[in-house]
Amino acid sequence: MKAGIVGLPNVGKSTLFNCLSNAKAQSANFPFCTIEPNIGVVNVPDPRLEKLESLVNPERVVPATVEIVDIAGLVKGASKGEGLGNQFLGNIRETDAILHVLRCFDNDNVVHVDGSVDPIRDKETIDMELQLKDLESVEKKLDKVKRAARTGNKEAQKEEAVLIQLKEGLEAGQSVRAITVSDEDKIEFVKPLQLITDKPVMYVCNVDEAAAVEGNAYVDKVKEAVKNENAEVIFLAVGTEADINELESYDERQMFLEDLGLTEPGAAKLIRGAYKLLDLETYFTAGVKEVRAWTIPVGATAPQAAGVIHTDFEKGFIRAEVIAYDDYVQFGSESKVKEAGKMRVEGKEYIVKDGDVMHFRFNV
């Protein structure tokens, strides 16, 4: 699953990407310094994994990961191919969620592509480009559907009504995620279109060091502007995070954070937020060889969760032995959990809960 970082040039996208992935994307004070999308595989910070490691003392620990794609800066006119528009819009379409970086700091030394700092205007610039691209897709589909609807095809008529609703919303400057469509119609008619503004979005307000703990007036404006969008908003001081990243030792990094009044890097908060945005959760396997976090979609069944380890596990699934994370921590080991009668045996219908510690029995 991929989350794509988007924003205008010079808002801190590549610096943020570097913080998240430690893959040193070129970060420069001019637009289009990221021509090819950079892809980083980022570990999802999870204190539960550290706790299980301390209890099991395994040979190795494998965290869950999420893929982050750094997409070059969009500009006005991207939907018509301005800048490197079409390529960028294609890159965004391939992601599952959007991390939209907004500049929420003043600094005369960092050029703003539009000459002044205004995160709401910047957001609207990018929204409009993405909406125009979606409008193009909706209109193409509508042309095809209209022909079938005219023949009296009931399904086509139903789809035509949904597409007209999307078209009118996009023309009025609404993103698809803010247009009210029934769940059934969304699954049947909207999802297959893979519209960019239908993707879940998190607005990342890039603030200066002074606003790293409390945010600032720019952040408040963004929260107000997106309150009807069903979107997440977080703020972090990307430049400061980059400085923390440069420090060699964990202790030095912690001291720097404490001096700022932070308990953890903002990047950790963002990665967990992206994971949630992608509708993902974690289950664990815990043994002396390995303690590992496995990524599953929210609502996955036990056989689907087993299939993440190996397709044979899903095909030949017999049962799952499940320990709730809290029970594992309370009793301190698998054997003690069993003695206390807290290990459950679950079948094919079981919906895995975030944090479950699991063993699978299968037969191929």
Side-chain angles (χ1 to χ4, degrees), residues 110-241:
V110 181
V111 185
H112 189 291
V113 75
D114 285 329
S116 61
V117 177
D118 183 345
I120 308 306
R121 177 202 58 211
D122 296 355
K123 171 195 165 327
E124 286 166 358
T125 297
I126 291 218
D127 281 352
M128 191 198 291
E129 295 307 324
L130 302 183
Q131 287 159 5
L132 286 168
K133 202 69 189 167
D134 280 349
L135 185 58
E136 204 180 283
S137 304
V138 169
E139 284 174 337
K140 269 186 198 161
K141 183 70 176 172
L142 191 54
D143 285 344
K144 285 182 191 166
V145 171
K146 271 181 172 167
R147 287 195 288 274
R150 280 198 290 268
T151 67
N153 181 318
K154 289 276 186 285
E155 194 66 8
Q157 287 170 349
K158 199 174 163 190
E159 184 170 9
E160 181 185 26
V162 173
L163 290 169
I164 287 169
Q165 190 186 348
L166 293 183
K167 181 175 183 286
E168 287 170 353
L170 286 161
E171 284 172 341
Q174 279 182 292
S175 290
V176 173
R177 74 182 80 84
I179 300 170
T180 309
V181 177
S182 75
D183 290 346
E184 188 188 321
D185 287 345
K186 193 155 208 166
I187 291 161
E188 197 171 347
F189 305 125
V190 183
K191 287 292 175 200
L193 294 172
Q194 289 187 296
L195 298 170
I196 299 168
T197 66
D198 191 33
K199 295 179 191 296
V201 67
M202 178 193 288
Y203 292 100
V204 182
C205 299
N206 181 10
V207 299
D208 55 21
E209 191 174 306
V213 179
E214 300 284 337
N216 59 22
Y218 289 134
V219 175
D220 295 338
K221 281 182 184 172
V222 172
K223 285 180 177 171
E224 180 60 27
V226 307
K227 66 182 181 197
N228 298 325
E229 258 196 59
N230 194 21
E232 302 265 329
V233 179
I234 71 162
F235 58 88
L236 64 156
V238 175
T240 307
E241 297 271 332

Side-chain angles (χ1 to χ4, degrees), residues 184-363:
E184 188 188 321
D185 287 345
K186 193 155 208 166
I187 291 161
E188 197 171 347
F189 305 125
V190 183
K191 287 292 175 200
L193 294 172
Q194 289 187 296
L195 298 170
I196 299 168
T197 66
D198 191 33
K199 295 179 191 296
V201 67
M202 178 193 288
Y203 292 100
V204 182
C205 299
N206 181 10
V207 299
D208 55 21
E209 191 174 306
V213 179
E214 300 284 337
N216 59 22
Y218 289 134
V219 175
D220 295 338
K221 281 182 184 172
V222 172
K223 285 180 177 171
E224 180 60 27
V226 307
K227 66 182 181 197
N228 298 325
E229 258 196 59
N230 194 21
E232 302 265 329
V233 179
I234 71 162
F235 58 88
L236 64 156
V238 175
T240 307
E241 297 271 332
D243 293 341
I244 294 171
N245 241 19
E246 294 300 316
L247 298 171
E248 290 301 316
S249 78
Y250 173 79
D251 289 339
E252 279 181 307
R253 291 196 290 272
Q254 285 306 108
M255 276 171 64
F256 197 141
L257 286 168
E258 279 164 25
D259 286 347
L260 290 173
L262 296 168
T263 53
E264 65 171 354
K269 187 169 61 172
L270 186 144
I271 296 161
R272 281 200 300 273
Y275 196 69
K276 189 174 151 220
L277 199 64
L278 291 162
D279 216 18
L280 301 174
E281 61 186 11
T282 303
Y283 77 86
F284 301 103
T285 50
V288 287
K289 287 270 181 214
E290 177 183 271
V291 164
R292 184 167 186 152
W294 298 90
T295 300
I296 50 169
V298 172
T301 60
Q304 287 166 337
V308 174
I309 300 176
H310 199 288
T311 49
D312 285 352
F313 283 31
E314 184 170 3
K315 282 182 202 152
F317 180 88
I318 300 169
R319 66 178 184 273
E321 293 164 1
V322 184
I323 302 169
Y325 169 78
D326 289 342
D327 288 339
Y328 204 110
V329 170
Q330 185 186 341
F331 294 101
S333 72
E334 190 178 308
S335 56
K336 287 189 175 140
V337 170
K338 282 180 181 170
E339 281 168 29
K342 291 287 189 179
M343 179 185 274
R344 307 188 314 277
V345 174
E346 301 285 1
K348 290 183 176 179
E349 305 300 313
Y350 178 67
I351 304 295
V352 179
K353 293 179 180 63
D354 187 50
D356 278 349
V357 182
M358 306 182 79
H359 279 304
F360 298 104
R361 300 296 175 195
F362 69 102
N363 182 27

Side-chain angles (χ1 to χ4, degrees), residues 41-60:
V41 178
V42 183
N43 291 341
V44 179
D46 193 332
R48 297 174 300 181
L49 197 61
E50 292 159 32
K51 184 67 184 170
L52 288 171
E53 180 187 8
S54 71
L55 295 172
V56 179
N57 199 18
E59 287 173 24
R60 66 178 192 147

